Amino acid sequence: MPVDHVNGAQLYWERGGSGPRLLFCNGSGTTLQAVRPVLDLLAGQFDLLAWDYRGLGRSVPLPGPYAMADLAADAAGLLEIAGWDACRVLGVSFGGMVAQEFAVTRPDQVERLALACTSQAHPADRALAGRLAANQDQQDPAAAAREAQLAARAGHDVWDRLGAITCPTLVGYGNYDGIAPAQNSAAITSRIRGSELRGYEGGHLFLFQDPAALPDFEAFLQAPSS
C-alpha cells in the first residue's frame, strides 16, 4: 500500500483480507511489521485496514506534536481513502485510546467497537507517560515519534464523551495488568450503554497470553452489527 497524505501527515497503511471491514489501531511505539502475525490472523477473517502512526514504521518522519484527536482524524482520513463509510474497530492499549477518540467523534462510522487493555483517562497514565518520555533514547530515530505518542496519551481524556458511543462495545482487560488495570476498563463500560466487560488471564498482553481472548474478540467483531 502507498504512503498517503492524510490530515497533514504522510502515513503508510495497508488493507488486506476479506470479511467485515475492520480498522485496527495499534499499540504505543509499535509498527505494523512488529505485529505482522496478529494482522495476518485478523486478515483471515476481516477486510483489515491498519496503519503506521505518525513518524513510526514506514510512515514519514514526524511533522510535529499532535493530540489524540489528530490520530482519530488520521483514521477517518484513511477510511475515506479506502472508500469506507463505516467499519468495526479494534483498539489495543494506546490504540484503544485512539479507537475511543474515533468512536466518540464519529459514532456513525463505528459498527462495533472492541477495546483491549486500555484506559479512558487516568492520572496514573499521565504519570507513566511522563516517566516513559524521560527515559526515551534520544539517539533512537523513532524517539521523537514515540515521545509525541506519549504526550498525546498524557492528554487523552474521553470520560465525559463516552456516552456518545452507541454501537455494541466489548472492553477486555488482563487480570494482572499493571499498565491498564481492570478498574480502567470497568470505568469505560460504566459510561457506554450496553457495553460488555470481560476479564482474561494475563497482563497487558492478555490478548496473546489467554488462549480464549483473541477468539472472543474476533467472534464479537464478526457478529452482525445490528
Side-chain angles (χ1 to χ4, degrees):
M1 288 295 178
V3 173
D4 278 305
H5 190 82
V6 180
N7 188 35
Q10 295 185 62
L11 304 176
Y12 173 83
W13 63 283
E14 297 180 356
R15 181 183 175 188
S18 61
R21 293 171 174 174
L22 177 64
L23 174 70
F24 177 74
C25 302
N26 210 352
S28 178
T30 307
T31 67
L32 298 188
Q33 195 59 37
V35 296
R36 182 64 56 195
V38 178
L39 299 181
D40 290 344
L41 286 172
L42 293 173
Q45 300 189 52
F46 300 94
D47 181 358
L48 180 68
L49 191 158
W51 81 104
D52 278 329
Y53 293 127
R54 296 173 171 223
L56 290 174
R58 283 173 277 186
S59 290
V60 302
L62 192 71
Y66 57 81
M68 200 67 72
D70 294 306
L71 297 185
D74 291 350
L78 291 170
L79 260 64
E80 183 175 357
I81 291 172
W84 292 5
D85 55 354
C87 63
R88 290 98 195 280
V89 180
L90 169 59
V92 179
S93 190
F94 176 83
M97 301 177 188
V98 178
Q100 289 174 73
E101 184 68 34
F102 180 76
V104 300
T105 55
R106 295 169 176 83
D108 292 342
Q109 291 190 268
V110 183
E111 297 169 337
R112 298 181 76 84
L113 175 64
L115 305 170
C117 53
T118 194
S119 305
Q120 80 295 341
H122 198 275
D125 289 338
R126 296 191 178 95
L128 175 63
R131 292 197 301 272
L132 291 173
N135 291 329
Q136 286 283 342
D137 179 2
Q138 298 305 314
Q139 302 304 311
D140 182 349
R146 293 195 179 96
E147 189 167 343
Q149 277 194 344
L150 292 167
R153 170 179 171 154
H156 168 67
D157 189 346
V158 294
W159 177 252
D160 291 331
R161 296 177 288 149
L162 285 173
I165 300 173
T166 58
C167 66
T169 301
L170 169 63
V171 184
Y173 64 89
N175 292 324
Y176 314 107
D177 190 341
I179 297 174
Q183 57 263 35
N184 293 23
S185 293
I188 294 171
T189 57
S190 75
R191 303 289 284 187
I192 303 176
R193 185 183 298 274
S195 59
E196 182 178 354
L197 179 67
R198 298 184 192 175
Y200 294 91
E201 288 302 298
H204 198 60
L205 299 178
F206 76 84
L207 273 179
F208 318 109
Q209 295 166 333
D210 188 330
L214 189 57
D216 275 1
F217 271 69
E218 291 172 332
F220 170 82
L221 288 163
Q222 282 275 2
S225 59
S226 60

